[in-house]
Amino acid sequence: MRNRKIIMAARPVGRPKPTDFQLVEEDAPEPRDGEVLLRTLWLSLDPYTRGRMSAARSYAKSLEVRDTMVGGTVNEVMASRRPEYRAGDIVLGYAGWQEFAISNGTGLRKLDPGRAPISTALGILGMPGMTAYTGLTIIGQPKAGETVVVAAANGPVGSAVGQIAKIKGCRAIGIAGGADKCRLLIDEFAFDAAVDHRSASFADDLAKACPNGIDIYFENVGGAVWNAVLPLLNNFARVPVCGLIAHYNDTELPPGPDRTALVMRNILTKRLTLRGFIVSDFVAHAEEFERNMGSWLREGKIKYREDVVEGLEKAPEAFIGLLSGRNVGKLLVRVNSPTK
Ligand SMILES: NC(=O)c1ccc[n+]([C@@H]2O[C@H](COP(=O)([O-])OP(=O)(O)OC[C@H]3O[C@@H](n4cnc5c(N)ncnc54)[C@H](OP(=O)(O)O)[C@@H]3O)[C@@H](O)[C@H]2O)c1
């Protein structure tokens, strides 16, 4: 048997070109003890693969030139030298862009073809579906009546986000490229509104589609879509940062001081939690604060320092000094001494 596989022939610069890939033929491998031979039935193509082709440090290892392209697969077991698999079993695997692969069983999961079409293990019942479900419900925390916006909304992640948002009682707004894709959002996936990010009036159209602002923006794309979303975010909006496909082919940051793409990339790949707050949001914790801080102070576990300026007339100068770092510790003006 011959194996056909696609390797990364060159590291792409910007948008990948056909010459960055190469089809290679070789003898199909033979399973040894503890291994199974897999034949690929379905191969998943996903945006993250562009990241694997880049040498930039990320959450997963980069491909080297001449490596087989990586990807999730649904496979048929052709021959097994592992007790838990038999020829004919259908499994979810990670065989990559090739027809045959050897596996030692790591990461393989048996699929039940009677439960759902086996291809769904790579989509709605697989990684993209789970991405949508977890990102929206755990990070997004949707509540009935809220407005949820998602871009790349026809894709496996976005379409699931929109539909789960509806199940949770939210208003779902989908962003897609072009009139046909927008129509599909309404007709097939029952979004409440669809907005075309290729239209010249995109930002205005999005604002009109979100008269009550945006409570959850499920970030799949970044770039111009993020710029249009940002001013519409409500207080306490949540932004699960899932993907930034608008930037995957970037070779450098845009000129000028705008570092949004870099910030967002770090938020995503390092799973940063950034959450703004105003202390008054937490009045309910005041008693707990006073109890803990009071006892830490009494026990000498916490120190504090005061920078005291004498006389109200010194307040302006001291305040100006505060803004340039002249104070050391809590800046206070002693305005008067107690009468007793
Ligand atoms: N964090 C995770 O664990 C995780 C897991 C899975 C996926 N993801 C991310 O989730 C996002 C969606 O993944 P998917 O598999 O569902 O992909 P997808 O929607 O099937 O495919 C990508 C879509 O992105 C849109 N797009 C491409 N460039 C764009 C741009 N410059 N501006 C706006 N939209 C653009 C296009 O749709 P339109 O023509 O409609 O714009 C394209 O069809 C990706 O960013 C992916 O990397 C993250």
Side-chain angles (χ1 to χ4, degrees):
M1 276 190 305
R2 299 285 284 169
N3 181 31
R4 296 190 317 144
K5 64 182 188 182
I6 293 177
I7 62 167
M8 182 170 84
R11 210 176 276 297
V13 178
R15 200 180 286 269
K17 309 178 293 300
T19 49
D20 297 331
F21 304 89
Q22 189 187 339
L23 178 67
V24 173
E25 271 202 47
E26 61 185 15
D27 285 338
E30 290 278 337
R32 290 175 305 194
D33 254 2
E35 294 181 338
V36 291
L37 174 65
L38 303 173
R39 181 167 156 258
T40 302
L41 304 179
W42 294 95
L43 163 67
S44 174
L45 298 183
D46 295 273
Y48 72 81
T49 310
R50 179 64 187 87
R52 299 287 196 281
M53 299 180 83
S54 153
R57 240 189 86 210
S58 188
Y59 59 94
K61 200 171 156 279
S62 299
L63 284 169
E64 298 300 329
V65 170
R66 303 210 64 79
D67 279 351
T68 304
M69 294 293 298
V70 289
T73 49
V74 170
N75 303 84
E76 181 183 350
V77 174
M78 301 300 287
S80 175
R81 297 182 66 180
R82 292 191 65 83
E84 69 271 41
Y85 294 108
R86 281 193 316 205
D89 281 349
I90 303 295
V91 295
L92 176 67
Y94 203 75
W97 297 21
Q98 58 185 342
E99 291 191 71
F100 293 98
I102 290 289
S103 166
N104 64 6
T106 308
L108 285 192
R109 181 159 66 81
K110 236 186 254 189
L111 294 175
D112 174 2
R115 185 177 159 236
I118 55 175
S119 59
T120 57
L122 297 171
I124 192 69
L125 288 176
M127 182 276 284
M130 176 150 162
T131 302
Y133 178 84
T134 53
L136 181 64
T137 59
I138 298 173
I139 302 177
Q141 297 281 325
K143 288 165 208 69
E146 290 190 324
T147 299
V148 176
V149 172
V150 62
N154 286 291
V157 176
S159 59
V161 167
Q163 293 172 91
I164 299 166
K166 294 292 295 181
I167 290 168
K168 298 284 177 187
C170 299
R171 204 164 163 265
I173 313 299
I175 298 171
D180 289 347
K181 282 190 173 184
C182 283
R183 206 166 309 115
L184 202 64
L185 290 182
I186 307 284
D187 295 348
E188 178 135 351
F189 297 122
F191 278 80
D192 293 291
V195 187
D196 178 1
H197 70 83
R198 298 222 187 100
S199 159
S201 56
F202 167 58
D204 286 343
D205 298 343
L206 184 63
K208 280 192 200 113
C210 304
N212 300 321
I214 297 172
D215 301 296
I216 300 174
Y217 172 55
F218 192 101
E219 175 63 298
N220 274 339
V221 304
V225 174
W226 168 251
N227 291 339
V229 162
L230 186 59
L232 302 176
L233 291 176
N234 289 331
N235 287 349
F236 305 106
R238 284 83 67 202
V239 181
V241 180
C242 172
L244 298 163
I245 196 166
H247 299 292
Y248 291 174
N249 288 323
D250 286 356
T251 50
E252 55 192 28
L253 286 167
D258 184 357
R259 289 295 179 267
T260 313
L262 186 63
V263 172
M264 293 300 267
R265 185 185 138 79
N266 274 274
I267 291 174
L268 171 57
T269 58
K270 296 182 183 167
R271 291 81 135 184
L272 306 182
T273 301
L274 277 71
R275 179 178 164 193
F277 75 99
I278 308 293
V279 63
S280 52
D281 300 340
F282 299 126
V283 280
H285 294 262
E287 254 184 56
E288 166 199 331
F289 158 72
E290 284 160 19
R291 196 172 52 249
N292 283 323
M293 192 59 88
S295 58
W296 291 333
L297 262 184
R298 280 192 301 280
E299 293 160 17
K301 289 182 176 162
I302 294 255
K303 289 184 182 164
Y304 69 100
R305 192 179 168 117
E306 292 174 344
D307 186 338
V308 178
V309 173
E310 302 290 343
L312 180 64
E313 66 286 357
K314 296 271 177 55
E317 191 197 331
F319 175 67
I320 291 164
L322 172 79
L323 301 178
S324 61
R326 227 180 295 143
N327 61 308
V328 183
K330 174 69 199 109
L331 183 60
L332 297 165
V333 179
R334 197 192 318 266
V335 181
N336 282 302
S337 299
T339 45
K340 288 192 220 153

